[in-house]
Amino acid sequence: MTTFLTFTILGLVLGAVYAIAASGLVLTYNTSGIFNFAHGAQAMLGTFLYWQLTYGWGLPMWLSLIIVVGVVGPAMGAALHALIMKGLRDTADVTKIVVTVAILLGMLFLSQWIWHPEDARIMEMFFGAGAKVEFSGVVIRYHEIICLLAAAAIAVGLRVLFTRSRVGVVMRGAVDDPDLLRRCGHNPDRIAMLSWALGSTLAVLAGVLITPVGGGALEANALTLLVIDAFAAAMFGRLRSIPRTFAGAMVLGLAATYVAAYFPTDWTWAGNLRVSLPMIILFVVLIVLPQDRLRGAAIRTRERYRAPTVRKAVTSGAALVAGVFLLALLMDDTSITTFGLGMTFAIIALSLTVLTGYAGELNLAPLSFGAVATIVAFHFGITGTGLAARLTPWGVLLAVLVTAVVGGLVALPALRLRGLYLALATMAFGVFLSNMVLRDTTEHTLFGVTFSLFPNGTLIVPPLQVGPLDLRDGRTLLMTATVLFALIAIGLVALRNSGYGRRLAAMKDSPAASAMLGQNLVKLKFGVFMLSAAIAGLGGVLMASAGGSVAGDNFHIMASLSLVMLTVVGGIGYVSGALFGGLMSGVGFTIIIGTFNDLAAATPPMETIFKSLGHLAMVATALIGMGVGKNPSGMVHDLFESYRALRNARPVLIGGAAAQAVLYVLALTGVIGNWWFAVLTACLVMMLPVFGRMLAPTAVRETPLELVGVDEPYTPELRDRLDRELGLAPALGGDRHAVA
């Protein structure tokens, strides 16, 4: 009985902290319509600051708590809303999610910059671990009592706020109908800022309270994910009900402690199950709870993507292969291998293009599907041993097929989910896979066969060999990955221009209208999920093969979130956005850190400055993601638009091509280094549109098709343009002028 009471109290304490964190999520979502994926990162950053004030600088515990919870927490939430969140109106779900993911990554990079990850930091309970009371043989510490009382007070306070106060009613109206609220004399942005300040305060409080309960040293990733476990509690109340949210948090906390207490000790996977339990519960809750009805296109979002023709895709693919071949001539073997690794990430990013860019379905764990394919290829697709080991093409094919099936199995229960709910479901799958599968290093016996899913925590994946094609050579790997990327990209563009692609676009734009027109949304979702998973699986196997070995951390959910963020920054609706996101995620961070570390090693007096610049560059990458709200169509879209204006300034294009050719020859002959070649090329690419506008100031900017007849009068010329874009026969002159 004592054991039961002990673990029950511990579960209630853990549930209380989850409830505090989850209530902050509910608060911000109800007033801004944005689900804050950075909630855990805010808790982590506030907890690290609390440690610094209390243990690093020796301030009294109560004073540090006032500063962190009473000042820094509200200021952080208010600043996030004022600078970023209020600019996310009229953006798609993926944009809102990616912006908060970028904030999460930026806070992680910032914490690792300020507090070195290898330094151990321990936090004690309030009043110390010795401050406790005993009841019926059960020890309860003062810190745990504070957690329970704080959760109860917050539950009552929020309930009163939302149901008994005018402020609570105004908060709900801030997201339901901000225009009506404004007409009633209230400022929706100010109300939303207040809710973000309160939500951030609750996140920081949860982080400070839960860290001593969990024990162990402070670690940025672990603490962020620990508070993310509260997502399951928030979904119990469907992001609306505070009482149901608190009830769900208690169920979550009790389930975790009972698993630790009562599961047999010889079940080697019990520990992994306990860690994965919140994500399992989150997935189940998302499936079981009633979902919102299919939505129509009631709000026109600001994302704009131009679907290229297949001919343009073929031309661009050939140019990409040729460009990579020429660039490879400038690189050493190490750089070529690194570049090849980046191209495999770009293939994985293509899975996001077809799933999210074309179909509007969200997947926050693309690398998890790559992990599934890698495990299958490791166990069933390798022939030979030692240096003679090779990955077989049949093994790769089997891995891709199995991953497609897994994608379908994940999609089946999630077929009726959309938007935020689907994003949370895929994230739950990714965290579950990391905790349950990628940590499974023990041996199991099934039907007389002994195996281990992830032996020794590392999988050795040899290069692929198909006849004379041996990917052990880095240059061959790079060109093979590039050709595969180009072929898949061309195939996806052809798919987008087909009838199936148009059905996917219709489902993305308005599921309700698509269903009313007779489209089978279940089949569409199921098919596109399987296709996306297969592409991610192929990229995952090639990525593992390019590196030679992979560990569980290579498929961590944070890596997946980074890939998703950078692909959206590039342009989720373009295959070139996948190229940008994959290269930046796969090799961009490595190059940034490696370059500044090399500079620091070469110039010891400047070591601190160069290392700081490296960390600053990482944080700046996340800042780019935060700016997606101002440019939801991505960087590639802006680049295409700027170069489209150069059609009236062909001498600029010709001159730019000639200048690029000269730079390449100079780099090939060793006159300038590769670093200067890259810098000058980037400057040339950015400056060409500027020169074009200077030399062709009279060029007229074309009106976007969706604004024809809205931003300017409807003219015969505009009608002819619409006919050309839609592939319709030109109208007769008389009819045209009659319509005009």
Side-chain angles (χ1 to χ4, degrees):
M1 188 63 181
T2 301
T3 302
F4 173 76
L5 291 176
T6 299
F7 280 95
T8 298
I9 291 175
L10 183 59
L12 291 175
V13 171
L14 188 61
V17 181
Y18 283 156
I20 294 173
S23 61
L25 281 169
V26 174
L27 183 63
T28 54
Y29 184 81
N30 271 296
T31 52
S32 65
I34 298 173
F35 188 88
N36 184 16
F37 280 84
H39 200 66
Q42 290 176 255
M44 175 273 301
L45 203 60
T47 305
F48 269 92
L49 181 59
Y50 173 81
W51 179 92
Q52 184 64 46
L53 293 174
T54 304
Y55 300 94
W57 295 340
L59 292 182
M61 186 179 296
W62 62 268
L63 181 57
S64 300
L65 199 62
I66 291 176
I67 294 174
V68 172
V69 178
V71 178
V72 175
M76 181 164 48
L80 285 177
H81 179 269
L83 299 176
I84 301 173
M85 299 304 168
K86 72 176 183 180
L88 296 182
R89 289 190 182 276
D90 302 335
T91 58
D93 290 335
V94 64
T95 302
K96 295 175 182 177
I97 290 172
V98 162
V99 168
T100 57
V101 167
I103 296 171
L104 181 154
L105 295 174
M107 289 182 173
L108 278 177
F109 296 149
L110 182 62
S111 69
Q112 292 169 357
W113 180 8
I114 300 174
W115 296 282
H116 198 281
E118 296 181 1
D119 296 338
R121 299 174 180 85
I122 305 295
M123 280 179 53
E124 297 180 356
M125 294 186 175
F126 293 160
F127 307 109
K132 57 188 177 181
V133 296
E134 187 172 340
F135 178 76
S136 298
V138 179
V139 174
I140 306 177
R141 295 173 177 83
Y142 288 174
H143 185 96
E144 295 170 339
I145 296 174
I146 292 174
C147 292
L148 294 171
L149 293 177
I154 290 171
V156 173
L158 290 178
R159 180 66 177 173
V160 171
L161 175 68
F162 278 120
T163 61
R164 302 292 182 180
S165 70
R166 183 179 180 84
V167 175
V169 175
V170 173
M171 282 184 171
R172 294 201 305 272
V175 66
D176 291 338
D177 196 333
D179 292 333
L180 178 60
L181 190 67
R182 190 176 287 108
R183 292 188 182 99
C184 293
H186 297 284
N187 188 332
D189 290 334
R190 186 177 301 170
I191 296 298
M193 181 184 295
L194 174 62
S195 70
W196 274 83
L198 291 176
S200 178
T201 300
L202 294 176
V204 172
L205 177 61
V208 172
L209 291 176
I210 200 172
T211 302
V213 173
L218 281 176
E219 201 278 319
N221 281 327
L223 182 56
T224 299
L225 290 176
L226 187 64
V227 179
I228 283 180
D229 289 345
F231 287 4
M235 294 311 300
F236 261 93
R238 294 194 66 196
L239 296 173
R240 295 189 182 97
S241 171
I242 293 295
R244 286 200 298 267
T245 296
F246 271 73
M250 294 304 169
V251 170
L252 198 65
L254 290 172
T257 55
Y258 287 158
V259 167
Y262 295 109
F263 270 40
T265 56
D266 58 344
W267 289 5
T268 55
W269 48 269
N272 293 340
L273 176 63
R274 183 182 63 82
V275 177
S276 306
L277 195 60
M279 291 298 105
I280 297 174
I281 294 176
L282 172 61
F283 194 85
V284 172
V285 168
L286 288 168
I287 301 305
V288 172
L289 286 183
Q291 303 299 314
D292 295 330
R293 294 181 178 180
L294 290 178
R295 62 170 179 82
I299 299 177
R300 184 68 174 175
T301 60
R302 291 186 278 119
E303 286 79 3
R304 299 290 183 269
Y305 300 115
R306 293 176 180 265
T309 63
V310 178
R311 178 179 296 180
K312 288 183 179 180
V314 172
T315 302
S316 301
L320 173 65
V321 173
V324 170
F325 176 79
L326 294 175
L327 285 176
L329 298 178
L330 303 177
M331 300 179 182
D332 56 26
D333 292 340
T334 302
S335 299
I336 288 175
T337 302
T338 303
F339 196 4
L341 182 65
M343 289 304 303
T344 63
F345 270 83
I347 293 175
I348 300 175
L350 283 175
S351 68
L352 298 172
T353 300
V354 63
L355 184 66
T356 305
Y358 293 172
E361 305 299 320
L362 298 177
N363 177 16
L364 297 186
L367 289 179
S368 297
F369 293 100
V372 172
T374 301
I375 293 173
V376 174
F378 173 80
H379 286 287
F380 302 102
I382 297 176
T383 182
T385 58
L387 296 177
R390 288 292 187 274
L391 185 62
T392 65
W394 298 113
V396 175
L397 179 60
L398 177 63
V400 171
L401 292 177
V402 170
T403 307
V405 173
V406 172
L409 293 176
V410 173
L412 276 177
L415 285 176
R416 63 196 193 95
L417 302 179
R418 281 193 59 85
L420 171 63
Y421 291 160
L422 182 57
L424 287 171
T426 55
M427 183 177 181
F429 166 74
V431 177
F432 168 79
L433 188 79
S434 296
N435 292 336
M436 283 296 294
V437 178
L438 303 186
R439 288 185 180 182
D440 187 11
T441 59
T442 58
E443 291 188 346
H444 307 278
T445 301
L446 184 65
F447 303 117
V449 178
T450 301
F451 65 94
S452 176
L453 290 177
F454 218 84
N456 302 319
T458 302
L459 300 183
I460 306 299
V461 183
L464 173 68
Q465 184 173 10
V466 185
L469 183 66
D470 188 353
L471 300 192
R472 187 177 296 275
D473 177 66
R475 195 177 302 273
T476 305
L477 169 67
L478 171 61
M479 296 311 303
T480 301
T482 303
V483 170
L484 283 174
F485 176 89
L487 292 176
I488 297 172
I490 293 170
L492 291 183
V493 172
L495 176 71
R496 175 60 183 85
N497 287 280
S498 68
Y500 183 80
R502 286 190 285 272
R503 288 195 293 272
L504 291 179
M507 180 178 67
K508 174 185 177 181
D509 188 61
S510 177
S514 182
M516 289 180 63
L517 291 174
Q519 301 298 329
N520 190 325
L521 300 188
V522 172
K523 288 185 178 179
L524 284 175
K525 287 185 179 183
F526 187 73
V528 76
F529 255 99
M530 291 189 68
L531 175 61
S532 174
I535 295 173
L538 175 60
V541 173
L542 292 176
M543 182 264 287
S545 178
S549 65
V550 287
D553 289 342
N554 292 108
F555 306 106
H556 196 270
I557 188 63
M558 293 302 175
S560 286
L561 293 176
S562 176
L563 177 61
V564 173
M565 180 199 76
L566 290 169
T567 304
V568 173
V569 168
I572 195 72
Y574 297 107
V575 294
S576 48
L579 179 65
F580 172 86
L583 290 177
M584 282 299 298
S585 179
V587 301
F589 293 155
T590 302
I591 293 175
I592 290 173
I593 294 298
T595 299
F596 283 106
N597 285 341
D598 291 343
L599 291 173
T603 54
M606 303 284 289
E607 179 179 1
T608 303
I609 295 177
F610 281 125
K611 287 188 175 181
S612 297
L613 289 175
H615 287 291
L616 182 61
M618 296 289 286
V619 176
T621 304
L623 291 176
I624 296 174
M626 299 178 200
V628 170
K630 296 182 179 179
N631 180 24
S633 300
M635 297 174 60
V636 172
H637 179 84
D638 278 357
L639 185 64
F640 285 169
E641 290 297 322
S642 64
Y643 270 79
R644 190 170 283 109
L646 294 182
R647 289 180 298 183
N648 297 321
R650 293 188 180 275
V652 176
L653 286 175
I654 297 173
Q660 184 61 50
V662 171
L663 288 177
Y664 180 80
V665 172
L666 293 176
L668 188 63
T669 56
V671 177
I672 61 175
N674 290 347
W675 175 257
W676 280 108
F677 172 75
V679 171
L680 293 175
T681 297
C683 292
L684 181 63
V685 169
M686 291 186 294
M687 292 304 297
L688 279 182
V690 178
F691 293 148
R693 287 191 294 269
M694 293 172 57
L695 297 179
T698 58
V700 179
R701 178 179 177 272
E702 286 188 342
T703 303
L705 291 178
E706 64 272 12
L707 298 180
V708 166
V710 177
D711 277 5
E712 61 182 80
Y714 193 84
T715 63
E717 290 76 15
L718 286 177
R719 176 183 170 175
D720 289 343
R721 182 180 163 215
L722 282 173
D723 289 344
R724 290 194 305 270
E725 294 288 348
L726 295 173
L728 302 177
L732 297 177
D735 294 338
R736 178 178 60 193
H737 292 294
V739 173

